[in-house]
């Protein structure tokens, strides 16, 4: 098992020609009006877009004749704690059969993004899930209700998939197990 | 069949609540129908009743423990769900999987597709109103496959048989013969269903032209699996982006052009025959050999990186997006549910149809609520 994944700093020094064999030349052309940073993923090319341009960029990727990303595979977010929350879009083109991952980073104190439902209707429920699980607000969403969380939970400060949200303690009913405190007084 | 109420009748809209506990919702799914006479004017789905936080659980357990949670997200096709997960671990850790393990994985995933599609045929028969016979026929076929899975993994539904790098243990010595037995039985099962439903006049009248969705809309909604192939889109990840050894097999994605409930049925029925054929091809190529890599650490630690793995599960694209920051647990694990995306299109397919048809449209998506809610 070797580590050949690129990290954040290494990418900026990489000359553009190392992205040969990927979609990078086409993506770079289609997104020429946007500040875009590429990265090589395990399977697909990853591009980072600034928050203000992400929906415009996704629209360009969808309507570009060469790329034609007409299918939204998945939309989710990753909590990087101090470095903010990444919103991740996995795009696919049914006609051209290629993939692209688009990422944008939101600062923890300002988790607001435009909705992608204007680009693909498929984003509707996926954004509702990200909104409740990570506390991201999607401006202009047509139906901003919670999706999976119970109705009686106040979602203004409970976002279960944030790393700061506690993982439930497991009650140990008998014997030695998870969470067993050996030094507790009176414990055998 | 879009029905418009004659203008001389003044009818009042009525709200009906269906579910969350209702036999035709295939689990805990709730929808509120707004109807005018017999015609659905609006439909609001509610999900989340089976949300157990599988993603958060996986993020707090190590890479081996996560396999068990994948079974519980997609309990009707647990092998397929495990496959995406272990492939994500293998992609991040660059783990080589022995050939024999890959072939066995393919056989088990295709068998699971057959059992899952039989489950659909039985339940769909009930939705359409043919109670009894199809359900029992489907159960009989599914039972033989589940018995085989039990012999292999020790469990009837939550197999936890795949491991990062290969399989948990070797299959029983009579594996190939048992698979052939099961296939012969499934072959007969397909014939039975074909004779029972496909040409049945009442069945056709109930399902043809109902719940239409066009290819463009299906792509726009992110649908996948038999549901999108019934609209004429040949999107089958086994063919478009081959994984395991699917590139060595001879097959074409099965599509239909009607985009209606009947076509979703017929695509699944034909896919059973296709899977039987694929397993036959796999058995020919199955050779003795190791089933796990020679050196596997007891506690896996993966390097930093991320991978989005997608495989063709019976209900569509089952994706696993795994982010590792080093260490023995995934930093983030997202399960891309095929049913969730397919279910989004329910409203579009149902509005303008009869109430009774809304039930069979829901049945034709073949939802598993534990996969939708995770």
């Amino acid at each position: 098992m070797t580590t050949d994944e690129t990290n954040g700093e290494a990418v900026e020094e990489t000359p553009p020609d190392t992205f040969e064999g990927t979609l990078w030349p086409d993506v770079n052309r289609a997104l020429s009006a946007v500040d875009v940073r590429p990265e090589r993923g395990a399977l697909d090319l990853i591009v980072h877009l600034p928050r203000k341009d992400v929906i415009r960029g996704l629209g360009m990727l969808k309507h570009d004749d060469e790329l034609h990303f007409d299918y939204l595979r998945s939309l989710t977010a990753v909590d990087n704690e101090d470095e903010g929350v990444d919103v991740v879009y996995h795009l696919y083109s049914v006609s051209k059969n290629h993939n692209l991952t688009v990422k944008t980073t939101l600062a923890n104190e300002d988790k607001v993004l435009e909705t992608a439902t204007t680009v693909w209707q498929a984003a509707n429920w996926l954004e509702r899930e990200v909104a409740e699980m990570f506390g991201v607000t999607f401006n202009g969403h047509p139906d901003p209700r919670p999706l999976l969380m119970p109705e009686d939970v106040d979602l203004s400060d409970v976002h279960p998939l944030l790393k700061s949200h506690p993982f439930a303690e497991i009650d140990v009913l008998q014997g030695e197990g998870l969470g067993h405190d050996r030094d507790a007084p009176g414990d055998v | 069949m879009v029905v418009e109420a004659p203008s001389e009748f003044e009818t009042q809209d009525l709200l009906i609540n269906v579910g969350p506990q209702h036999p035709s919702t295939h689990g805990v799914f709730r929808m509120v129908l707004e109807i005018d006479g017999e015609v659905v004017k609006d439909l609001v789905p509610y999900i989340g009743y089976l949300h157990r936080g599988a993603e958060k659980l996986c993020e707090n357990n190590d890479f081996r423990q996560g396999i068990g949670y994948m079974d519980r997200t997609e309990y009707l096709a647990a092998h397929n769900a495990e496959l995406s997960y272990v492939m994500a671990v293998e992609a991040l850790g660059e783990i080589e999987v022995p050939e024999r393990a890959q072939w066995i994985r393919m056989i088990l995933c295709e068998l699971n597709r057959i059992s899952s599609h039989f489950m659909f045929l039985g339940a769909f028969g009930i939705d359409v109103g043919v109670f009894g016979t199809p359900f029992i026929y489907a159960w009989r076929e599914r039972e033989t496959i589940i018995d085989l899975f039990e012999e292999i993994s020790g469990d009837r539904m939550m197999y936890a048989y795949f491991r990062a790098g290969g399989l948990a243990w070797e299959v029983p010595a009579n594996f190939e013969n048992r698979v052939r037995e099961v296939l012969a039985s499934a072959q007969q099962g397909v014939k039975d269903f074909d004779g029972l439903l496909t040409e049945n006049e009442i069945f056709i009248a109930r399902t043809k032209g109902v719940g239409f969705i066009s290819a463009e809309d299906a792509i726009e909604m992110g649908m996948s699996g038999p549901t999108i192939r019934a609209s004429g889109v040949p999107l089958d990840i086994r063919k478009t982006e081959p994984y395991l050894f699917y590139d060595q097999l001879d097959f074409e994605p099965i599509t239909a052009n009607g985009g209606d409930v009947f076509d979703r049925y017929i695509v699944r029925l034909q896919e059973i025959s296709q899977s039987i054929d694929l397993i036959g091809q796999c058995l020919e190529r199955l050779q003795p050999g190791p089933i796990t890599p020679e050196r596997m650490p007891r506690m896996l630690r993966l390097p930093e990186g991320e991978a989005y793995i997608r495989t063709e599960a019976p209900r569509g694209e089952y994706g696993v997006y795994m982010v590792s920051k080093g260490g023995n647990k995934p930093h983030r694990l997202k399960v891309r549910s095929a049913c969730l995306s397919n279910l989004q299109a329910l409203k579009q397919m149902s509005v303008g149809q009869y109430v009774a048809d809304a039930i069979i449209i829901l049945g034709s998506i073949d939802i598993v609520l534990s996969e939708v809610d995770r």
Side-chain angles (χ1 to χ4, degrees):
Chain A
M1 267 165 264
T2 54
T3 314
D4 70 354
E5 296 296 319
T6 49
N7 58 35
E9 285 98 46
V11 167
E12 282 166 11
E13 294 159 14
T14 317
D17 59 357
T18 56
F19 291 101
E20 245 180 53
T22 68
L23 289 172
W24 173 236
D26 276 331
V27 173
N28 200 14
R29 176 187 51 71
L31 298 179
S32 53
V34 180
D35 179 22
V36 50
R37 182 165 66 83
E39 184 188 335
R40 206 182 260 278
L43 279 87
D44 315 319
L45 181 73
I46 304 169
V47 292
H48 295 258
L49 296 182
R51 181 176 78 168
K52 60 178 177 23
D53 292 329
V54 68
I55 300 305
R56 194 160 64 100
L58 290 171
M60 291 179 200
L61 289 169
K62 183 184 179 185
H63 295 113
D64 186 81
D65 288 338
E66 291 292 312
L67 295 168
H68 199 238
F69 284 108
D70 49 359
Y71 189 86
L72 179 68
R73 287 208 127 122
S74 154
L75 189 165
T76 187
V78 180
D79 178 20
N80 289 324
E81 290 164 280
D82 295 341
E83 290 151 38
V85 171
D86 280 355
V87 178
V88 188
Y89 305 82
H90 290 103
L91 319 185
Y92 176 65
S93 169
V94 175
S95 51
K96 310 279 180 185
N97 192 21
H98 51 214
N99 289 281
L100 183 70
T101 306
V102 176
K103 277 190 179 183
T104 188
T105 305
L106 308 179
N108 280 328
E109 57 278 3
D110 186 22
K111 292 187 280 190
V112 181
L113 192 63
E114 292 298 308
T115 178
T117 50
T118 48
V119 188
W120 304 276
Q121 287 182 46
N124 189 329
W125 286 16
L126 303 173
E127 283 186 348
R128 282 170 66 185
E129 189 185 341
V130 170
E132 63 185 350
M133 295 294 169
F134 291 90
V136 177
T137 308
F138 289 96
N139 278 339
H141 193 284
D143 183 18
R145 292 175 298 140
L147 184 71
L148 299 173
M149 293 292 283
E151 286 162 13
D152 54 356
V153 172
D154 177 16
L155 284 168
S156 58
D157 59 343
V158 176
H159 302 298
L161 281 179
L162 288 181
K163 293 288 172 189
S164 56
H165 187 85
F167 185 59
E169 299 274 322
I170 297 173
D171 288 331
V172 180
L173 298 178
Q174 61 175 45
E176 229 176 300
L178 290 167
H180 180 75
D181 186 3
R182 285 168 188 279
D183 302 326
D187 210 334
V188 185
Chain B
M1 217 182 298
V2 179
V3 188
E4 283 185 23
S7 52
E8 60 264 31
F9 290 115
E10 281 291 319
T11 48
Q12 235 182 348
D13 290 353
L14 179 70
L15 285 179
I16 329 179
N17 177 64
V18 182
Q21 273 94 17
H22 189 275
S24 63
T25 57
H26 300 263
V28 276
F29 172 70
R30 176 175 162 227
M31 56 185 178
V32 175
L33 300 170
E34 186 186 332
I35 59 167
D36 179 9
E38 280 286 306
V39 180
V40 177
K41 289 183 77 181
D42 194 15
L43 186 153
V44 186
Y46 292 87
I47 60 172
Y49 295 96
L50 209 53
H51 178 66
R52 296 142 299 172
E55 293 172 5
K56 183 92 177 176
L57 284 164
C58 286
E59 286 165 22
N60 284 279
N61 281 288
D62 68 42
F63 288 110
R64 193 189 48 173
Q65 291 169 318
I67 297 169
Y69 290 114
M70 292 299 110
D71 289 334
R72 282 145 186 86
T73 60
E74 165 59 306
Y75 52 74
L76 289 179
H79 279 314
N80 299 68
E82 286 169 28
L83 179 69
S84 286
Y85 182 87
V86 296
M87 277 172 63
V89 176
E90 286 156 8
L92 285 178
E94 295 181 4
I95 303 167
E96 289 272 331
V97 186
E99 257 190 43
R100 180 175 170 82
Q102 305 254 41
W103 287 113
I104 293 176
R105 280 181 182 180
M106 281 168 76
I107 293 170
L108 293 178
C109 285
E110 291 304 321
L111 277 172
N112 222 162
R113 189 184 316 278
I114 298 175
S115 82
S116 169
H117 280 354
F118 269 123
M119 173 83 196
F120 160 80
L121 292 174
F124 187 60
I126 293 184
D127 288 338
V128 180
V130 208
F131 189 81
T133 322
F135 190 71
I136 302 300
Y137 278 19
W139 229 246
R140 185 187 63 194
E141 301 309 333
R142 183 168 175 269
E143 195 65 25
T144 59
I145 298 173
I146 298 229
D147 283 346
L148 174 62
F149 287 157
E150 192 180 10
E151 286 164 33
I152 295 167
S153 68
D155 204 304
R156 290 169 58 80
M157 283 175 96
M158 311 296 168
Y159 313 116
Y161 179 61
F162 293 176
R163 294 284 185 277
L167 304 168
W169 47 75
E170 183 57 86
V171 290
N174 62 349
F175 173 69
E176 291 180 39
N177 289 335
R178 285 286 290 119
V179 172
R180 289 211 165 84
E181 269 174 46
V182 167
L183 291 187
S185 153
Q187 192 99 55
Q188 184 58 42
V190 175
K191 274 188 200 153
D192 291 348
F193 267 98
D194 205 25
L196 191 66
L197 293 179
T198 310
E199 301 285 315
N200 184 320
E201 223 171 283
I202 304 167
F203 181 75
I204 292 173
R206 272 309 301 278
T207 55
K208 276 259 184 191
V210 172
F212 172 77
I213 189 151
S214 69
E216 293 75 37
D217 287 346
I219 292 172
E220 176 75 17
M221 296 303 248
M223 292 167 81
S224 56
T227 346
I228 197 172
R229 290 196 286 276
S231 292
V233 183
L235 180 62
D236 186 331
I237 301 165
R238 293 174 293 173
K239 196 75 189 173
T240 53
E241 300 167 76
Y243 52 97
L244 299 179
F245 292 133
Y246 279 108
D247 49 347
Q248 298 183 26
L249 301 186
D250 177 29
F251 72 105
E252 284 301 320
I254 288 169
T255 57
N257 292 317
D260 59 6
V261 171
F262 181 80
D263 279 359
R264 279 169 227 140
Y265 155 80
I266 204 79
V267 164
R268 286 196 178 89
L269 189 69
Q270 290 173 0
E271 278 189 13
I272 298 180
S273 303
Q274 184 187 44
S275 289
I276 293 171
D277 178 54
L278 288 178
I279 295 168
Q281 296 185 36
C282 291
L283 284 175
E284 281 168 23
R285 293 165 170 82
L286 185 65
Q287 300 291 336
I291 50 152
T292 44
E294 272 177 35
R295 287 171 55 82
M296 276 294 285
R298 190 167 285 192
M299 177 64 87
L300 260 181
R301 288 177 182 279
L302 297 188
E304 274 193 36
E306 60 169 74
Y308 178 74
I309 301 289
R310 50 270 170 176
T311 60
E312 188 72 26
R315 282 162 195 79
E317 175 181 336
Y318 191 93
V320 167
Y321 175 56
M322 191 182 276
V323 181
S324 168
K325 299 240 158 170
N328 62 351
K329 294 170 184 169
H331 176 75
R332 171 86 175 101
L333 187 117
K334 149 91 182 164
V335 174
R336 189 268 193 211
S337 156
C339 295
L340 182 91
S341 298
N342 291 346
L343 200 54
Q344 280 199 72
L346 177 68
K347 178 179 172 182
Q348 196 175 344
M349 290 191 273
S350 303
V351 169
Q353 309 276 321
Y354 287 122
V355 181
D357 290 344
I359 299 294
I360 64 170
I361 293 166
L362 178 67
S364 76
I365 303 174
D366 191 19
I367 46 169
V368 166
L369 264 302
S370 70
E371 195 209 0
V372 176
D373 296 344
R374 285 154 288 141

